[in-house]
Amino acid sequence: MGHKRLGRSAIVVSDICMGTMTFGSQADEATAMRILDRSFEAGINFYDTAENYPVPPDPKWAGRTEEIFGRWLKTKDRDAIILATKVSGPSHGWIKSSQRAGMTALDRHNITRAIEASLKRLGTDYVDLYQTHWPDHGVGYEETLRALDDLVQEGKVRVIGCSNETTWGLTKSIAVAEREGTVRYETIQNNFSLNNRRFEDELAQACRQEGVSLIPYSPLGGGVLSGKYNGGAAPEGARFTNYLKIGGRQAAMARRFVNDKTLASTERFAAIAAEAGLSPVTLATAWSKQHDFVASTIVGVTREDQLADIFAAMDVTLGKDVLDAIDKVSKEILYPMG
């Protein structure tokens, strides 16, 4: 297991992070506890959750993931765990939070209420990394960063990060932090995988120059890169199988992740993995964590038997021939997810 620093902060994390967004929906509490225990035993010290989990967002179970994680956290030495959670961004766009009747935003009122509720559910007096779950470009970064800075000064948060942020938003926030003398985002949590390499276009360079770490989510392209949707398959209980049934935003998301281009590229990546003697899951996870701007790759599972191929990536470094083969597919099938 490798370890890297989060941005320019003092926090060092395992280069694989266990995500928890299905705990309390697709994965029940007993399963979640076993997954967390096995991850900790494997050397993972970094765990990511959010006030809006589990997914898909639903008021009937909003906050349940943090509650489950909080009960597990009590079985461990708190100092041994690097805990990340998130405050919901505005709910008038692509996604609506299940918290605060959907009236979420990144102003002081919402940030203060969110952290207090999360700390209570998690059963701890601080979180190591507190992230804005998606940007609120309608609220000035001055207000957001001042509110987050206060949490750091109060000892409730160690460092802050953003997620689903744009290049403009990241660099603008850093400029505001420098001008106002507040804490700055040390991390950015965006979608990044073999099927979605858009982060490399601009954001990767911004991260390198500003010393911000990417902690990518969905390195398996929402599970697509495992190959389970290939050949027109719709596995029972799988996320995008369920999302297509739900319709609306969830169905639109499913079609972005599962389409002719993503399935075609996935098939070719699977062949590269086989040639290298790896599972497709191990290949995708190893590829993600091998980038210089990545601190820790966030993985997620709903069953224990999905862990082995992820854990196998801990000790894998892909060679130039494998990386070149991957790049060839990416150039021939441009932006599979749009």
Side-chain angles (χ1 to χ4, degrees):
M1 177 74 74
H3 293 81
K4 293 181 182 177
R5 192 177 295 271
L6 293 181
R8 296 173 179 169
S9 78
I11 298 177
V12 175
V13 298
S14 52
D15 60 15
I16 291 180
C17 170
M18 181 53 63
T20 64
M21 73 176 187
T22 63
F23 293 176
S25 56
Q26 287 178 273
D28 62 24
E29 182 163 345
T31 301
M33 292 291 186
R34 291 193 298 271
I35 290 168
L36 290 168
D37 279 337
R38 289 191 58 186
S39 299
F40 186 76
E41 291 162 5
I44 294 174
N45 72 350
F46 190 24
Y47 300 84
D48 179 72
T49 187
E51 67 165 345
N52 199 40
Y53 289 167
V55 296
D58 192 321
K60 73 185 179 188
W61 56 37
R64 185 183 296 173
T65 301
E66 287 184 324
E67 292 172 351
I68 291 172
F69 190 86
R71 287 190 280 274
W72 177 79
L73 186 61
K74 284 182 171 60
T75 70
K76 300 293 178 284
D77 179 351
R78 177 66 183 86
D79 290 332
I81 304 296
I82 304 300
L83 168 59
T85 194
K86 311 179 196 73
V87 51
S88 298
S91 292
H92 53 259
W94 171 245
I95 189 171
K96 182 176 181 179
S97 177
S98 298
Q99 297 290 351
R100 296 181 290 289
M103 301 294 286
T104 56
L106 295 182
D107 61 345
R108 180 176 294 277
H109 169 79
N110 275 279
I111 290 171
T112 301
R113 292 191 68 195
I115 189 65
E116 294 297 343
S118 285
L119 291 175
K120 183 176 181 180
R121 286 189 292 266
L122 291 164
T124 183
D125 59 354
Y126 75 96
V127 296
D128 299 278
L129 172 64
Y130 198 45
Q131 304 155 98
T132 52
H133 205 162
W134 49 92
D136 190 347
H137 292 155
V139 170
Y141 282 101
E142 291 83 356
E143 176 166 3
T144 300
L145 291 172
R146 285 175 190 147
L148 292 169
D149 187 80
D150 284 349
L151 298 183
V152 174
Q153 301 306 318
E154 293 166 9
K156 295 175 181 176
V157 170
R158 293 181 65 189
V159 301
I160 64 169
C162 58
S163 72
N164 301 309
E165 184 58 280
T166 63
T167 307
W168 173 85
L170 179 62
T171 54
K172 174 71 172 180
S173 72
I174 291 171
V176 169
E178 291 174 347
R179 186 185 71 225
E180 300 292 322
T182 68
V183 290
R184 63 162 209 157
Y185 293 136
E186 298 294 345
T187 63
I188 179 171
Q189 184 179 149
N190 279 32
N191 190 292
F192 183 58
S193 72
L194 288 169
N195 274 345
N196 184 12
R197 298 182 63 170
R198 282 196 175 275
F199 196 91
E200 295 173 291
D201 293 347
E202 292 182 347
L203 271 164
Q205 183 65 358
C207 284
R208 291 186 182 106
Q209 296 300 320
E210 299 294 347
V212 176
S213 297
L214 170 64
I215 48 175
Y217 68 85
S218 205
L220 303 184
V224 175
L225 287 161
S226 71
K228 65 184 178 183
Y229 296 100
N230 277 32
E236 185 64 31
R239 188 196 320 176
F240 297 132
T241 301
N242 293 338
Y243 279 16
L244 286 170
K245 294 176 184 176
I246 293 171
R249 173 189 175 272
Q250 272 70 42
M253 177 188 247
R255 288 189 289 269
R256 181 183 176 221
F257 279 81
V258 187
N259 60 61
D260 290 344
K261 290 178 72 173
T262 61
L263 295 176
S265 59
T266 293
E267 187 173 347
R268 292 181 61 179
F269 291 135
I272 293 170
E275 180 68 21
L278 302 171
S279 79
V281 169
T282 302
L283 177 83
T285 306
W287 177 87
S288 174
K289 71 185 185 68
Q290 203 162 318
H291 291 76
D292 63 309
F293 51 85
V294 171
S296 185
T297 293
I298 303 172
V299 299
V301 300
T302 57
R303 306 189 315 270
E304 287 180 84
D305 61 2
Q306 296 170 320
L307 290 170
D309 286 343
I310 290 171
F311 290 168
M314 292 178 181
D315 300 318
V316 171
T317 300
L318 302 178
K320 185 178 183 302
D321 56 337
V322 175
L323 295 174
D324 287 346
I326 287 170
D327 288 345
K328 186 173 186 290
V329 175
S330 296
K331 289 174 183 175
E332 293 177 358
I333 306 178
L334 290 171
Y335 302 115
M337 289 176 56

